[in-house]
Each structure stands twice: as structure tokens, then as C-alpha cells.
Amino acid sequence: MENKTYNPYVSAQTQFDNVANLIDLDQATRELLRQPNKEFHVTIPVKMDDGTTKVFNGYRIQHNDARGPAKGGIRFHPQETVDTIRALSLWMTWKCAVVDIPLGGAKGGIICDPHNMSMAEQERLCRGYVRQLSKVMGPVVDVPAPDVMTNGQHMLWMMDEYETINGGHYPGTITGKPVGMGGSLGRTEATGYGVIYTLREALKSLNIDVTSTTASIQGFGNVAEYAARLYTKLGGKIIAISCWDNEDKKSYTYRNLNGIDVDQLVSIKNTFGSINKQKAIELGFELLDGDEWIAQDVDILLPCALENQITPPALEKISDKVKVICEGANGPTTPDSDEIIKAKNIYLVPDFLCNAGGVTCSYFEQVQCNMNYFWPKEEVLEKLDQKMTSAFQAVHKLSQEKNLYMRDAAYVIAINRVAEAVKLRGWV
Ligand code: NAD
């Protein structure tokens, strides 16, 4: 699908400016909130296994911490850009604010390709990153988490380096740690389940019975799989799932009009996350082009893979039957598509509300770490459901009362909360 030159930072600032106009935000608050508060650009020398030293560029960008310590993932990517990290830091602030957790927004990244690095080199890179940033991170300052191409092991190395430098146990420094090493139960399910908690509420408000609905999903990774699991548990029927094929370097849509058995599809997924095409066909799936997920005759679309997937040309293929889009992925819809979605009268649950289950559970992880007391999974998921449901209801209510598009209503709530915090602190 089309992935033309959308600069995410320009998109994030444009979205902010539009809402700042809508709520008539004063000039100083506008200037403060439309850009990151602090940016750290670091170089990280790493001794490679062959004896040479390679210097990596890393970033930590803290957009705003008026409502609490900054929070956001660290990504490893060979094509990482400062503007992407800036945009993601803004979105983290709005995400934490819309679900009303006492955290600000940040994002980090290192330009590298972990696929071409040994585990020992990756460990030295993680430790080097923390050595450069230890004074500006920590449980009461800025709390990182895993993101693209980083995982619980990277977070543990980073936490260990931070604890070594600071001489104590500070498990609330970083989230996304493995369970048993300070991680929270329920984190694996949290984002996908959160997507479906918001979908469940959206359907209720539209008076649609979930058991009468069908859905098509883009992606079959962490978010998509758990969204698919909960949606089918609630009685919905998934008829198509699109996923990247690592062998053919293209995506395919796997369709079964009788309804997809999620366990069955997971059982034929390999370690790279690709689905075994031959086995899928043997199990009765139709193999369609990767972009076909969006053209299915379904009630619900769940983009849970990548950014910039719902574009004006893609929307030309969308079925008239579609009533709800829940954005599980970050930024799946291009800014020029929102007007088309509005005109089609499709109910949209915007990304920073829809996929906030992940950061909400990370917040629970931090709380549990700070108390050194861990909750059972049921308790984590129950608290998650409450948070997501009340956040959804607040956004839905405002959108109804003020006749606002759901994305704008979510922004109005988030930006108002952060603006109020900076004012109460006397920053503006
Ligand atoms: P993941 O790496 O586990 O899965 C990504 C999925 O997308 C894979 O199934 C892959 O096959 C699929 N994919 C890639 N390219 C595709 C294409 N062209 N067409 C169809 N499918 C394609 O990632 P994830 O953690 O599930 O994250 C998915 C999205 O959700 C991302 O935008 C991420 O930023 C966002 N998100 C994730 C979390 C989280 O907790 N994991 C939290 C908030 C937001």
C-alpha cells in the first residue's frame, strides 16, 4: 500500500495546531506543547566483537512531563529519524493524557540494525545508551519501554546498567521487562485487549450487537493477535487477516468467510511471524493480495500493523458495510483520509486512545515495581478494562456533545489536560 512522504512530525504538529485552534489555546501554551521540551542526541561508542569500535547515534526526546514522569519506548532501526522520534514523543503525551494516567510523553531511538549485531554487541549498545542518559532518566524522570526491534532483554540490560550507576534497585526505571524480573502479567495481551475494549464500547454506543459483526484485520503480530482473540471471544467473526510474508517479501490476506480460528492461524505462524501459505490453503483459507484486507465486506476494520495504510486511494476500495475503524496501530490513517472517513460516516476510534492499553499496562508495571508487589493477571486486566472504558466514554461523550470527530474529541481532552497541568505548574 502507498507509503509516500508523510513526515510524522509535520503530521503531529498539524494535528496539534488544528486542535489548538479549536480550543483557542493561548500562544505560549501552543508554542510549549507543539514541540518537545528536551532533546538529547548522544553518540554511543561500542566495542564490536571483531575488535573495532563503532559509534552509534541515539536519541531520547522528552516532549512534556507536566503530568508525571515522561514515558515512551526506545526503538532500534537503521532508518530511524529524529522527526519520527519527535512525533512519537508528542503522541505519547496525548496518549497518557487521554487515558488519564499520571505520565508525560517521550520517545527514544538508536540508529542500528540489531539483526546484524551479536547479542553481546546489543548488550554493550544498551548499556552505552544508558550511560549517556542515566542522569535524565529514571522512575521519577523518564521511564522507557520496548518498541520496534527492542524487547524485554534489552530493557533488562538497560535497567541493570541504570541500577549499577545508581547503586540500588530501581525496577520502575523501565517497563516491558520479562515477568518474574519486574514485568507485569497481562502486558502481552494489554494492547490488543485494549483495542477490543474500545471496540466493544463503540459498538454499544452504536447499538450494534458484537455477535452479529464481522471484522477484517491488518497484521497478525502482538496487537492484532490479542485483538483477534478477544474479539472472537466476545462472539465476533473475523473473516480476513493480512500479514507480511518474510519469504516473498510481500503481504498476503488470508480469508475464511466462515470465520477464522485464531488458534489455528497462530499454529501455522513461524518464528518470523509469517503464516505458512501452503498449510493455510490446506486449512481452507483463500490467499488474497495483501491490500485486500481493507476491501472486505465487513462491519469492522482493525488496522493493527503499520502507519500510513488507510490512504485516500485505499479508502476507494472500502465496503459500504464498514461501520467502525479501530486504530490498533500507531498512525495507520493518513491525515488526508480523515475527511473521507467522516464523510462515509464511519465511527473511528483513534490510535492514541485505541492502542493505549499497552502504556496503561506499562504504568501498572511501574506502580507494581515501585510497591514491589505484583498483581494477578485478572486484576491487571480488570483495571485495564476500567481505564480504557472510562477513557473511551469521556471521548465519546465529548464527541456527541460538541459534534466532534472522535480523533478531534480525543485530542481536545488530552491537550486540555496537559495545558491545564502546565498552567497549574505556572510554566505559562
Ligand atoms: P508486531 O511486529 O508484533 O506485528 C506487526 C504485524 O504487522 C506483523 O504481523 C506483520 O506481519 C504485519 N505487517 C507488516 N507489514 C505488513 C503489511 N505491509 N501488510 C500487512 N501486515 C503487515 O507489532 P505490534 O507490536 O503488533 O505493533 C503493531 C502496531 O501497533 C504498530 O503500529 C505499533 O507501533 C502499534 N502499537 C503496538 C503496541 C504494543 O504494545 N505492541 C502498543 C501501541 C501501539
Side-chain angles (χ1 to χ4, degrees):
M1 206 162 284
E2 165 172 7
N3 202 346
K4 57 180 191 190
T5 52
Y6 290 101
N7 178 332
Y9 190 39
V10 173
S11 299
Q13 289 193 313
T14 308
Q15 288 165 348
F16 172 80
D17 291 340
N18 290 341
V19 178
N21 288 337
L22 199 69
I23 60 175
D24 208 12
L25 200 62
D26 65 273
Q27 197 52 38
T29 310
R30 226 177 248 243
E31 270 175 51
L32 187 67
L33 298 186
R34 75 187 301 282
Q35 55 189 326
N37 194 223
K38 295 189 186 104
E39 291 198 357
F40 302 98
H41 296 210
V42 297
T43 45
I44 313 157
V46 174
K47 293 263 182 304
M48 305 304 277
D49 293 346
D50 65 5
T52 60
T53 298
K54 207 168 160 189
V55 178
F56 293 88
N57 289 86
Y59 307 91
R60 187 69 187 169
I61 296 184
Q62 296 164 353
H63 169 246
N64 189 279
D65 64 353
R67 287 174 44 86
K71 183 94 193 79
I74 297 171
R75 27 174 71 195
F76 285 177
H77 204 281
Q79 275 96 41
E80 195 55 85
T81 71
V82 188
D83 271 354
T84 307
I85 300 174
R86 286 184 177 124
L88 289 162
S89 76
L90 263 70
W91 285 323
M92 281 308 297
T93 303
W94 315 137
K95 194 180 287 198
C96 293
V98 83
V99 283
D100 206 9
I101 54 179
L103 295 169
K107 203 80 185 186
I110 302 178
I111 301 177
C112 69
D113 187 352
H115 295 124
N116 299 328
M117 295 171 72
S118 70
M119 291 298 274
E121 289 167 344
Q122 292 181 45
E123 177 176 349
R124 291 193 283 271
L125 180 64
C126 287
R127 291 183 184 278
Y129 181 76
V130 172
R131 280 198 299 278
Q132 295 289 35
L133 293 164
S134 68
K135 292 211 167 35
V136 294
M137 59 183 278
V140 294
V141 180
D142 178 5
V143 184
D147 203 85
V148 175
M149 286 204 257
T150 54
N151 57 37
Q153 176 63 75
H154 297 115
M155 297 305 112
L156 264 191
W157 287 325
M158 290 189 189
M159 181 193 78
D160 186 70
E161 189 66 24
Y162 182 87
E163 292 186 339
T164 305
I165 292 168
N166 289 284
H169 281 280
Y170 299 97
T173 297
I174 273 186
T175 62
K177 304 183 292 299
V179 172
M181 288 299 292
S184 175
L185 290 166
R187 178 62 187 89
T188 310
E189 296 86 349
T191 308
Y193 276 23
V195 169
I196 303 304
Y197 296 146
T198 65
L199 171 66
R200 180 195 64 203
E201 296 305 309
L203 292 175
K204 263 190 223 164
S205 66
L206 295 169
N207 272 324
I208 299 173
D209 176 4
V210 62
T211 61
S212 70
T213 62
T214 52
S216 173
I217 306 185
Q218 189 189 36
F220 201 42
N222 172 260
V223 178
E225 179 186 328
Y226 286 94
R229 284 184 186 284
L230 187 58
Y231 172 68
T232 45
K233 199 170 157 197
L234 295 180
K237 184 160 100 173
I238 302 163
I239 62 145
I241 289 181
S242 146
C243 165
W244 185 254
D245 188 283
N246 215 40
E247 238 172 52
D248 297 358
K249 303 286 174 221
K250 69 188 283 282
S251 57
Y252 292 103
T253 298
Y254 297 83
R255 184 167 76 174
N256 187 338
L257 293 172
N258 297 320
I260 294 177
D261 175 341
V262 181
D263 280 328
Q264 191 184 57
L265 203 58
V266 169
S267 75
I268 58 168
K269 198 159 89 156
N270 69 19
T271 47
F272 294 104
S274 303
I275 290 168
N276 184 318
K277 298 185 287 293
Q278 197 48 43
K279 284 194 181 148
I281 291 166
E282 282 163 20
L283 289 169
F285 282 90
E286 296 168 74
L287 201 57
L288 311 178
D289 192 68
D291 293 348
E292 285 302 303
W293 73 279
I294 204 169
Q296 299 306 306
D297 231 358
V298 288
D299 306 290
I300 299 156
L301 290 175
L302 299 170
C304 296
L306 304 170
E307 65 283 359
N308 297 336
Q309 296 303 296
I310 302 185
T311 58
L315 281 168
E316 280 171 23
K317 304 205 293 181
I318 203 169
S319 158
D320 286 339
K321 198 175 172 210
V322 173
K323 297 174 191 74
V324 182
I325 299 176
C326 284
E327 296 181 329
N330 281 318
T333 305
T334 59
D336 49 1
S337 301
D338 276 328
E339 287 307 320
I340 306 172
I341 294 173
K342 276 183 221 173
K344 286 182 179 284
N345 207 16
I346 296 172
Y347 190 99
L348 178 110
V349 184
D351 52 0
F352 67 100
L353 167 64
C354 189
N355 68 33
V359 73
T360 303
C361 193
S362 291
Y363 161 61
F364 294 157
E365 175 178 338
Q366 206 200 1
V367 171
Q368 294 169 84
C369 283
N370 292 345
M371 293 190 299
N372 206 5
Y373 174 73
F374 290 82
W375 309 327
K377 188 168 171 179
E378 296 67 39
E379 190 175 341
V380 175
L381 294 176
E382 196 186 309
K383 286 182 162 69
L384 181 69
D385 193 348
Q386 280 167 7
K387 267 281 173 214
M388 295 300 295
T389 300
S390 66
F392 171 88
Q393 280 166 354
V395 174
H396 174 75
K397 186 162 172 271
L398 183 72
S399 104
Q400 295 292 301
E401 279 170 8
K402 305 271 183 209
N403 196 20
L404 287 175
Y405 184 49
M406 279 288 281
R407 193 186 311 284
D408 294 339
Y411 264 117
V412 166
I413 289 181
I415 293 173
N416 269 329
R417 284 189 179 142
V418 181
E420 195 189 342
V422 297
K423 284 196 174 88
L424 284 171
R425 284 178 178 275
W427 291 356
V428 287

